[in-house]
Amino acid sequence: MNNLVEKFNEYGHWRDNVRLALQRYRDGVQEFDLSDAATEQRMQQAIARLADDKLSIAFVAEFSRGKSELINSIFFAGYGQRIVPTSAGRTTMCPTELLYDETFPPSIRLLPIETRAEAQSTSDFKGQNHQWTVLPLDTTSADGMLEAFKQVGMTKRVPVEEAVRYGLYDAQDDDAGMTVDIDGTVEISQWRHAIVNFPHPLLKQGLVIVDTPGLNAIGTEPELTLNLIPNAHAVLFILAADAGVTKSDIDIWRNHIGNSGSGRMVVLNKIDSMWDELSTSEQIDSQIAAQVSSVAQTLSLSEQQIFPVSAQKGLVGKINHDQALLTRSRLPVLETALSTELLPARQEIIRSQLQSEINAMTSSRLALLSSRSRNVVEQLMELKSLRGKNRTILEHMMTRIDLEKREFDGSLFKLQATRSVFARLSAEVFSHLGMAVLKQNVILTREAMEKSRFSAGLRQAVRDFFEKTLHSIQKSSQKTDEIGEMMSVMYRKFSTEHALALSAPMPFSLEKYVKEIEMIEQIYQKQFNATAIMTTPQVVLMQKFFDSIASRVRQCMLQANRDVETWLKVVMAPLEAQIGEHKNQLKRRRKSLEKIHEATDSLEEKVQVFEQMQLELDTQRVALMRLENDLHAAILAPLAGYKAAA
């Protein structure tokens, strides 16, 4: 088992332990009758986040850099042969995702290239199963899997006009004419996208491998530029050790990878081409070090981010159990760096997301339990103070409770007015953030793009789209801020006037969605920042990019809508839970006094009952705090071999 596989397994165990601790806490909350709809929803979301957690690694390179061989050597050496096809020239013609989804059988799903003629992105098509060609994947046969994987390299020849319609041929490109056959056809990929559903141990743990074609596909397939590469947790940019950094490599790095986030590594592959039998090992190491230094300088990186390897020799070393060859390939160094870079960073993201949710949830449950305990203590003290008191005193105490109830009911009447304002502001949030607004914005933008074939008009239409989208989020944000401030006032009112144990309401911000929309716009600007008039293929490509932009923004806005909806459900939940608890306690106190008023001999029995209730609540508090501590310990537990997060 290599280091990367081992660390992925540890990461999977960490997630499993957190999920079990969360389920135990959930069981305890339900057992102690502390659950409500909002708490249950947050529990389910936290558990779902752990279950759906994915870690994406994108492999990016021009063709003939050994990218497919590197994937084989890191992930599939255990099969004893190559699984991802490798040969001279192009072997990956379309973007390919390797993942595992238990809802589908092992298979290769292929999206026909003809879908590029439609105004939908690859992400849009992922929900349309009928659009995909599905081939079964026999995981028991390595040869059968190899044959199935070859589908991603399939091509076909089409007329130039058809290739232009797909945005895959630019007549203004001097090199494009060389690809036209004597019959006026050009070679294109048969497929637009491939998804390989494969029950590999790492893929079962949530790993997603993204195998990308070369520069041409990265520049023409918006799904790669806008989604798969920017969202990857790690990007391995593969160069050839003998060639170093070529012009096309620099284009890919500068336009699509270099500044797109953390977890970016450069792999200097095929160092075995420098293993000269006439040179000493020291001389070879010196040559490799010089190439590493040159690449680091060209790409403005530190040498620690450059990993010289021989994927082919590493694969052979693993299959033949040749440890010396594997060590010489330097592949284990890359695997260790990859696990060290990727997994703790991903764990910290999930950890911080869970901590913020769970802290709010556990504090509200403890507050509710504390409120119950405080009320029991107050009633117990009240009952004990009645020993030897006459009926007049009892009547006076019942009158005082009635007065307290009337005051509380008055506050509830004011709360009802707040609920009306809450409902109005909530409706206003969705009037700006709702999907109907975005849909209309997309339609108007497409119409504007179709009317204008000049570069300035096309770019202005897309700029207007982003401006309107950001304006919608900002207007919604103003309304959520108003709701948050209103709820803070109401929380303070009930805490002060009725001694309810309430902390500040759960905060909320749409800022992360503003940043995501701005990031999408930056990618678009980088892709289409030229001032020259566009050719017809470039116009087609720009329209395809807008289709993907609209899809990506739609996903962002859908998630924003879900988050707002969830927040609106939970922001009032602690207050309502405390109000319900306080109302019940007032009723119970009044009822207890009435019974004692009618039969004073039941006083001692009542005292005993409340003493038992106090004991049970103290026991529940200890148990709940233990479950909470266990949950936090599971979340904060570091992966083996890594230092715990501060």
PDB file of all heavy atoms in Angstrom, residues 68-82:
ATOM      1  N   SER A  68      -1.237  10.111 -18.609  1.00  0.00           N
ATOM      2  CA  SER A  68      -1.985   8.874 -18.362  1.00  0.00           C
ATOM      3  C   SER A  68      -1.123   7.840 -17.645  1.00  0.00           C
ATOM      4  O   SER A  68      -1.603   7.098 -16.781  1.00  0.00           O
ATOM      5  CB  SER A  68      -2.512   8.301 -19.680  1.00  0.00           C
ATOM      6  OG  SER A  68      -3.409   9.202 -20.299  1.00  0.00           O
ATOM      7  N   GLU A  69       0.168   7.812 -17.985  1.00  0.00           N
ATOM      8  CA  GLU A  69       1.078   6.881 -17.312  1.00  0.00           C
ATOM      9  C   GLU A  69       1.229   7.243 -15.841  1.00  0.00           C
ATOM     10  O   GLU A  69       1.312   6.361 -14.971  1.00  0.00           O
ATOM     11  CB  GLU A  69       2.448   6.899 -18.000  1.00  0.00           C
ATOM     12  CG  GLU A  69       3.397   5.819 -17.517  1.00  0.00           C
ATOM     13  CD  GLU A  69       3.095   4.453 -18.109  1.00  0.00           C
ATOM     14  OE1 GLU A  69       1.905   4.115 -18.281  1.00  0.00           O
ATOM     15  OE2 GLU A  69       4.037   3.712 -18.396  1.00  0.00           O
ATOM     16  N   LEU A  70       1.238   8.528 -15.534  1.00  0.00           N
ATOM     17  CA  LEU A  70       1.338   8.968 -14.144  1.00  0.00           C
ATOM     18  C   LEU A  70       0.099   8.542 -13.358  1.00  0.00           C
ATOM     19  O   LEU A  70       0.205   8.089 -12.211  1.00  0.00           O
ATOM     20  CB  LEU A  70       1.507  10.492 -14.084  1.00  0.00           C
ATOM     21  CG  LEU A  70       1.747  11.092 -12.697  1.00  0.00           C
ATOM     22  CD1 LEU A  70       3.045  10.567 -12.088  1.00  0.00           C
ATOM     23  CD2 LEU A  70       1.775  12.619 -12.776  1.00  0.00           C
ATOM     24  N   ILE A  71      -1.074   8.665 -13.968  1.00  0.00           N
ATOM     25  CA  ILE A  71      -2.307   8.212 -13.317  1.00  0.00           C
ATOM     26  C   ILE A  71      -2.244   6.717 -13.051  1.00  0.00           C
ATOM     27  O   ILE A  71      -2.595   6.236 -11.970  1.00  0.00           O
ATOM     28  CB  ILE A  71      -3.531   8.571 -14.184  1.00  0.00           C
ATOM     29  CG1 ILE A  71      -3.707  10.085 -14.249  1.00  0.00           C
ATOM     30  CG2 ILE A  71      -4.797   7.921 -13.630  1.00  0.00           C
ATOM     31  CD1 ILE A  71      -4.793  10.549 -15.197  1.00  0.00           C
ATOM     32  N   ASN A  72      -1.777   5.960 -14.034  1.00  0.00           N
ATOM     33  CA  ASN A  72      -1.623   4.511 -13.848  1.00  0.00           C
ATOM     34  C   ASN A  72      -0.676   4.188 -12.702  1.00  0.00           C
ATOM     35  O   ASN A  72      -0.951   3.329 -11.857  1.00  0.00           O
ATOM     36  CB  ASN A  72      -1.092   3.871 -15.139  1.00  0.00           C
ATOM     37  CG  ASN A  72      -2.157   3.646 -16.184  1.00  0.00           C
ATOM     38  OD1 ASN A  72      -3.278   3.261 -15.857  1.00  0.00           O
ATOM     39  ND2 ASN A  72      -1.835   3.899 -17.438  1.00  0.00           N
ATOM     40  N   SER A  73       0.454   4.877 -12.662  1.00  0.00           N
ATOM     41  CA  SER A  73       1.482   4.537 -11.674  1.00  0.00           C
ATOM     42  C   SER A  73       1.044   4.882 -10.251  1.00  0.00           C
ATOM     43  O   SER A  73       1.381   4.165  -9.304  1.00  0.00           O
ATOM     44  CB  SER A  73       2.793   5.256 -12.012  1.00  0.00           C
ATOM     45  OG  SER A  73       2.634   6.661 -11.927  1.00  0.00           O
ATOM     46  N   ILE A  74       0.289   5.968 -10.082  1.00  0.00           N
ATOM     47  CA  ILE A  74      -0.136   6.363  -8.740  1.00  0.00           C
ATOM     48  C   ILE A  74      -1.328   5.542  -8.261  1.00  0.00           C
ATOM     49  O   ILE A  74      -1.367   5.093  -7.108  1.00  0.00           O
ATOM     50  CB  ILE A  74      -0.490   7.865  -8.705  1.00  0.00           C
ATOM     51  CG1 ILE A  74       0.763   8.719  -8.945  1.00  0.00           C
ATOM     52  CG2 ILE A  74      -1.107   8.250  -7.356  1.00  0.00           C
ATOM     53  CD1 ILE A  74       0.490  10.215  -9.009  1.00  0.00           C
ATOM     54  N   PHE A  75      -2.312   5.303  -9.150  1.00  0.00           N
ATOM     55  CA  PHE A  75      -3.586   4.754  -8.697  1.00  0.00           C
ATOM     56  C   PHE A  75      -3.875   3.313  -9.123  1.00  0.00           C
ATOM     57  O   PHE A  75      -4.634   2.624  -8.442  1.00  0.00           O
ATOM     58  CB  PHE A  75      -4.733   5.645  -9.184  1.00  0.00           C
ATOM     59  CG  PHE A  75      -4.650   7.053  -8.697  1.00  0.00           C
ATOM     60  CD1 PHE A  75      -4.297   8.078  -9.549  1.00  0.00           C
ATOM     61  CD2 PHE A  75      -4.888   7.362  -7.366  1.00  0.00           C
ATOM     62  CE1 PHE A  75      -4.207   9.383  -9.107  1.00  0.00           C
ATOM     63  CE2 PHE A  75      -4.797   8.661  -6.907  1.00  0.00           C
ATOM     64  CZ  PHE A  75      -4.453   9.669  -7.777  1.00  0.00           C
ATOM     65  N   PHE A  76      -3.317   2.855 -10.229  1.00  0.00           N
ATOM     66  CA  PHE A  76      -3.771   1.575 -10.776  1.00  0.00           C
ATOM     67  C   PHE A  76      -2.685   0.507 -10.909  1.00  0.00           C
ATOM     68  O   PHE A  76      -2.886  -0.498 -11.580  1.00  0.00           O
ATOM     69  CB  PHE A  76      -4.432   1.805 -12.148  1.00  0.00           C
ATOM     70  CG  PHE A  76      -5.611   2.730 -12.093  1.00  0.00           C
ATOM     71  CD1 PHE A  76      -5.645   3.891 -12.840  1.00  0.00           C
ATOM     72  CD2 PHE A  76      -6.686   2.456 -11.262  1.00  0.00           C
ATOM     73  CE1 PHE A  76      -6.725   4.759 -12.781  1.00  0.00           C
ATOM     74  CE2 PHE A  76      -7.772   3.308 -11.191  1.00  0.00           C
ATOM     75  CZ  PHE A  76      -7.788   4.466 -11.954  1.00  0.00           C
ATOM     76  N   ALA A  77      -1.550   0.731 -10.248  1.00  0.00           N
ATOM     77  CA  ALA A  77      -0.464  -0.258 -10.332  1.00  0.00           C
ATOM     78  C   ALA A  77      -0.892  -1.598  -9.756  1.00  0.00           C
ATOM     79  O   ALA A  77      -0.389  -2.656 -10.163  1.00  0.00           O
ATOM     80  CB  ALA A  77       0.776   0.257  -9.606  1.00  0.00           C
ATOM     81  N   GLY A  78      -1.835  -1.590  -8.821  1.00  0.00           N
ATOM     82  CA  GLY A  78      -2.287  -2.829  -8.193  1.00  0.00           C
ATOM     83  C   GLY A  78      -2.949  -3.796  -9.143  1.00  0.00           C
ATOM     84  O   GLY A  78      -3.113  -4.986  -8.819  1.00  0.00           O
ATOM     85  N   TYR A  79      -3.340  -3.327 -10.335  1.00  0.00           N
ATOM     86  CA  TYR A  79      -3.959  -4.224 -11.316  1.00  0.00           C
ATOM     87  C   TYR A  79      -2.933  -4.988 -12.137  1.00  0.00           C
ATOM     88  O   TYR A  79      -3.293  -5.840 -12.957  1.00  0.00           O
ATOM     89  CB  TYR A  79      -4.884  -3.428 -12.242  1.00  0.00           C
ATOM     90  CG  TYR A  79      -6.155  -3.009 -11.554  1.00  0.00           C
ATOM     91  CD1 TYR A  79      -6.211  -1.830 -10.822  1.00  0.00           C
ATOM     92  CD2 TYR A  79      -7.293  -3.811 -11.591  1.00  0.00           C
ATOM     93  CE1 TYR A  79      -7.359  -1.447 -10.153  1.00  0.00           C
ATOM     94  CE2 TYR A  79      -8.452  -3.437 -10.922  1.00  0.00           C
ATOM     95  CZ  TYR A  79      -8.485  -2.255 -10.210  1.00  0.00           C
ATOM     96  OH  TYR A  79      -9.629  -1.892  -9.541  1.00  0.00           O
ATOM     97  N   GLY A  80      -1.647  -4.671 -11.936  1.00  0.00           N
ATOM     98  CA  GLY A  80      -0.607  -5.429 -12.612  1.00  0.00           C
ATOM     99  C   GLY A  80      -0.387  -5.034 -14.049  1.00  0.00           C
ATOM    100  O   GLY A  80       0.438  -5.631 -14.739  1.00  0.00           O
ATOM    101  N   GLN A  81      -1.091  -4.044 -14.534  1.00  0.00           N
ATOM    102  CA  GLN A  81      -0.896  -3.544 -15.893  1.00  0.00           C
ATOM    103  C   GLN A  81      -1.531  -2.161 -16.004  1.00  0.00           C
ATOM    104  O   GLN A  81      -2.166  -1.679 -15.074  1.00  0.00           O
ATOM    105  CB  GLN A  81      -1.526  -4.483 -16.920  1.00  0.00           C
ATOM    106  CG  GLN A  81      -3.058  -4.531 -16.873  1.00  0.00           C
ATOM    107  CD  GLN A  81      -3.625  -5.405 -17.971  1.00  0.00           C
ATOM    108  OE1 GLN A  81      -3.435  -6.608 -17.959  1.00  0.00           O
ATOM    109  NE2 GLN A  81      -4.319  -4.796 -18.917  1.00  0.00           N
ATOM    110  N   ARG A  82      -1.343  -1.529 -17.168  1.00  0.00           N
ATOM    111  CA  ARG A  82      -1.946  -0.218 -17.388  1.00  0.00           C
ATOM    112  C   ARG A  82      -3.454  -0.360 -17.543  1.00  0.00           C
ATOM    113  O   ARG A  82      -3.942  -1.238 -18.245  1.00  0.00           O
ATOM    114  CB  ARG A  82      -1.354   0.436 -18.629  1.00  0.00           C
ATOM    115  CG  ARG A  82       0.134   0.747 -18.502  1.00  0.00           C
ATOM    116  CD  ARG A  82       0.671   1.382 -19.778  1.00  0.00           C
ATOM    117  NE  ARG A  82       2.070   1.754 -19.617  1.00  0.00           N
ATOM    118  CZ  ARG A  82       3.094   0.950 -19.912  1.00  0.00           C
ATOM    119  NH1 ARG A  82       2.857  -0.273 -20.386  1.00  0.00           N
ATOM    120  NH2 ARG A  82       4.342   1.358 -19.719  1.00  0.00           N
TER     121      ARG A  82
END
